[in-house]
Amino acid sequence: MARTGMSPALRKGPANRPRRSLDQTRAIWLDAFQRVRAETEKRAALLSAEDQIVQSMADASPAKWHRAHVTWFFEQFLLVPHDPAYRIFDERFPFLFNSYYVAAGPRYARPQRGLITRPNGAEVAAYRAHVDAAVARLIAEVSTESAERVFTIVEIGLHHEQQHQEMLLTDILHAFAQNPTDPVYDAEWQAPRARLGPRGYVDVPAGVHAIGHDGDDFCFDNETPLHDELIPRVRIARHLVTNAEWLEFISASGYTTPSLWLSDGWTTAQNENWQAPGYWRQKDGAWHVMTLGGLRPVDPAAPVQHVSYYEADAFARFAGKHLPSEPEWETAARHDIIADAFGIAWQWTRSAYLPYPGYRAVEGALGEYNGKFMVSQMVLRGSSLATPEGHERVSYRNFFYPPARWQFSGLRLAEFI
Ligand SMILES: [Fe+2]
């Protein structure tokens, strides 16, 4: 997927601030590194070797590839430039596991990643162990002069790996959803519960508001610069749109009413025969949905998931509402007036993914991370049930192409006053 927002802005995280001793800073980064790396392996551990090589569509990548690619990222951007003693684990791997960094050299075709049965899982595990040891050594031994730069890249690598942790789950769910035996990723998996409380709409504070990342903590460069936006008189739904509301849309022939749809959306819905959200299917006369816990009945009270921008937009028109813009969403979230902003479903906004005023990508390969994707995609805000702990922010900008629906993507509505 194109979404891999990363921060070439090289902002200082809390652990880089000078009030800590260098040894304290080393300990913080080593701990963070080990925790994030372990989370990737924890997510992959529920998959068989066969599960880990499958690529169910061009936009999805095999789990084994995710595990290797995030490792290559540390090798390419941290170890090779900053550790003269480091030796590349395997000279063939950069070609296989570079994703889209043109400046970092040629790369294997993305849609064919599932053909790479070798290196096998054990070799990828060895690659990870080799890089883990080298990064731990670098953290322990980096000089005072190089420490800030090295820890900054460690931090980028960890946020990058967390993004792939989410994709590891979205991609394997897509693969499992193609399998008529309805494989279960985690039999213990439970959907996060939406917050209760009053429904309805709440006023977003109108006027000029600062939008974007503020403070010294980490952010991706696409969240900068902080800038002013004029928020109109608008109300935003406290809650996410639910499956029950989506069932009304289906019952009212929402999928077959062209006046509800953008032209591109209508064409896509027709070509792909959309009749319900992604992963929904009828079984024994009732709607079921493929989840990380396998095929389960659609819970009417749960927020809808796996809808594209086109569907979200059509639903909003059906409801006589709109999707919020990203400044409206961010202002509402900053004022804590909406429920379930985080942790269930990314929420489509009506905002195109564009640079904020004054945005500049940095020089070099890491500058490819975000800026070059700022066309033809739409922004989603919040986070999802698959987003790893510590990876969400109120200013976070996720982005996907309008037809995409294999992510945990939902929506909340807005209405102008
Ligand atoms: Fe990546």
Side-chain angles (χ1 to χ4, degrees):
M1 74 186 196
R3 167 231 171 190
T4 27
M6 182 51 66
S7 180
L10 304 183
R11 287 176 168 269
K12 291 181 184 178
N16 281 336
R17 290 175 192 153
R19 64 177 177 271
R20 299 183 196 279
S21 74
L22 181 55
D23 280 346
Q24 286 174 316
T25 308
R26 291 184 202 279
I28 288 168
W29 283 118
L30 180 61
D31 177 63
F33 179 77
Q34 291 173 338
R35 277 188 290 112
V36 171
R37 296 285 284 172
E39 175 65 21
T40 303
E41 293 302 283
K42 184 179 167 196
R43 293 185 179 211
L46 295 171
L47 302 174
S48 70
E50 294 86 351
D51 293 334
Q52 291 204 36
I53 60 171
V54 72
Q55 181 177 26
S56 53
M57 64 171 170
D59 283 339
S61 296
K64 188 180 70 177
W65 184 91
H66 285 301
R67 293 171 61 213
H69 162 72
V70 293
T71 305
W72 166 82
F73 192 97
F74 283 110
E75 182 176 73
Q76 172 72 29
F77 297 119
L78 178 69
L79 295 171
V80 169
H82 296 286
D83 181 358
Y86 181 75
R87 294 290 169 266
I88 285 184
F89 179 76
D90 188 315
E91 296 289 347
R92 301 166 301 177
F93 282 13
F95 179 76
L96 289 176
F97 300 127
N98 177 359
S99 51
Y100 54 64
Y101 296 89
V102 176
R107 68 219 69 80
Y108 186 72
R110 173 186 179 136
Q112 296 170 24
R113 288 173 184 163
L115 302 179
I116 305 302
T117 58
R118 311 284 179 93
N120 63 24
E123 289 165 319
V124 167
Y127 181 35
R128 287 182 66 88
H130 175 84
V131 166
D132 284 349
V135 172
R137 206 163 45 239
L138 180 60
I139 291 172
E141 297 175 1
V142 65
S143 67
T144 308
E145 304 75 54
S146 301
E148 181 174 331
R149 175 74 187 171
V150 160
F151 295 147
T152 297
I153 297 174
V154 169
E155 186 170 41
I156 290 172
L158 295 179
H159 285 270
H160 171 251
E161 184 146 347
Q162 287 182 309
Q163 290 185 310
H164 281 276
Q165 288 167 0
E166 176 153 358
M167 290 188 276
L168 191 151
L169 296 187
T170 59
D171 293 359
I172 199 64
L173 181 59
H174 186 269
F176 282 178
Q178 316 309 310
N179 186 328
T181 68
D182 306 326
V184 173
Y185 168 76
D186 177 3
E188 307 296 314
W189 181 84
Q190 291 295 329
R193 298 190 74 85
R195 232 162 65 195
L196 300 174
R199 299 190 66 84
Y201 288 75
V202 59
D203 289 0
V204 181
V208 174
H209 292 268
I211 298 298
H213 185 77
D214 52 3
D216 291 330
D217 290 348
F218 179 86
C219 75
F220 297 141
D221 68 340
N222 60 4
E223 299 163 50
T224 67
L226 189 70
H227 64 285
D228 286 341
E229 293 273 1
L230 178 62
I231 305 299
R233 297 187 65 228
V234 64
R235 293 155 66 79
I236 192 166
R238 284 196 175 95
H239 288 79
L240 302 175
V241 168
T242 63
N243 289 326
E245 292 168 309
W246 206 271
L247 286 162
E248 289 175 23
F249 176 69
I250 295 172
S251 298
S253 304
Y255 277 95
T256 52
T257 305
S259 59
L260 296 174
W261 293 76
L262 294 167
S263 176
D264 287 353
W266 178 251
T267 301
T268 305
Q270 294 292 296
N271 289 346
E272 302 193 11
N273 193 27
W274 287 350
Q275 299 176 18
Y279 307 153
W280 281 36
R281 72 180 76 136
Q282 289 275 2
K283 183 182 174 190
D284 303 327
W287 282 112
H288 287 63
V289 59
M290 192 64 179
T291 72
L292 292 171
L295 189 69
R296 295 186 177 177
V298 166
D299 174 3
V304 69
Q305 298 266 25
H306 305 299
V307 292
S308 64
Y309 175 79
Y310 292 141
E311 290 163 288
D313 173 82
F315 181 90
R317 196 164 293 109
F318 165 75
K321 312 291 185 188
H322 301 267
L323 298 175
S325 69
E326 51 171 334
E328 292 161 9
W329 188 99
E330 184 171 324
T331 302
R334 285 185 184 279
H335 285 80
D336 200 22
I337 58 176
I338 50 176
D340 301 323
F342 301 99
I344 297 181
W346 292 100
Q347 296 136 63
W348 289 105
T349 71
R350 68 175 190 273
S351 299
Y353 180 50
L354 293 170
Y356 283 163
Y359 167 81
R360 284 183 197 281
V362 296
E363 302 286 322
L366 282 175
E368 294 185 41
Y369 207 110
N370 262 320
K372 72 181 187 181
F373 298 113
M374 289 176 172
V375 68
S376 304
Q377 304 198 61
M378 301 302 288
V379 172
L380 302 93
R381 289 305 201 99
S383 67
S384 86
L385 58 89
T387 308
E389 190 181 333
H391 192 68
E392 62 193 28
R393 279 186 300 285
V394 73
S395 58
Y396 200 108
R397 307 176 78 199
N398 199 353
F399 50 94
F400 280 96
Y401 292 102
R405 58 183 199 164
W406 89 107
Q407 297 298 306
F408 296 99
S409 50
L411 69 155
R412 76 175 67 236
L413 297 174
E415 63 179 7
F416 293 105
I417 303 169

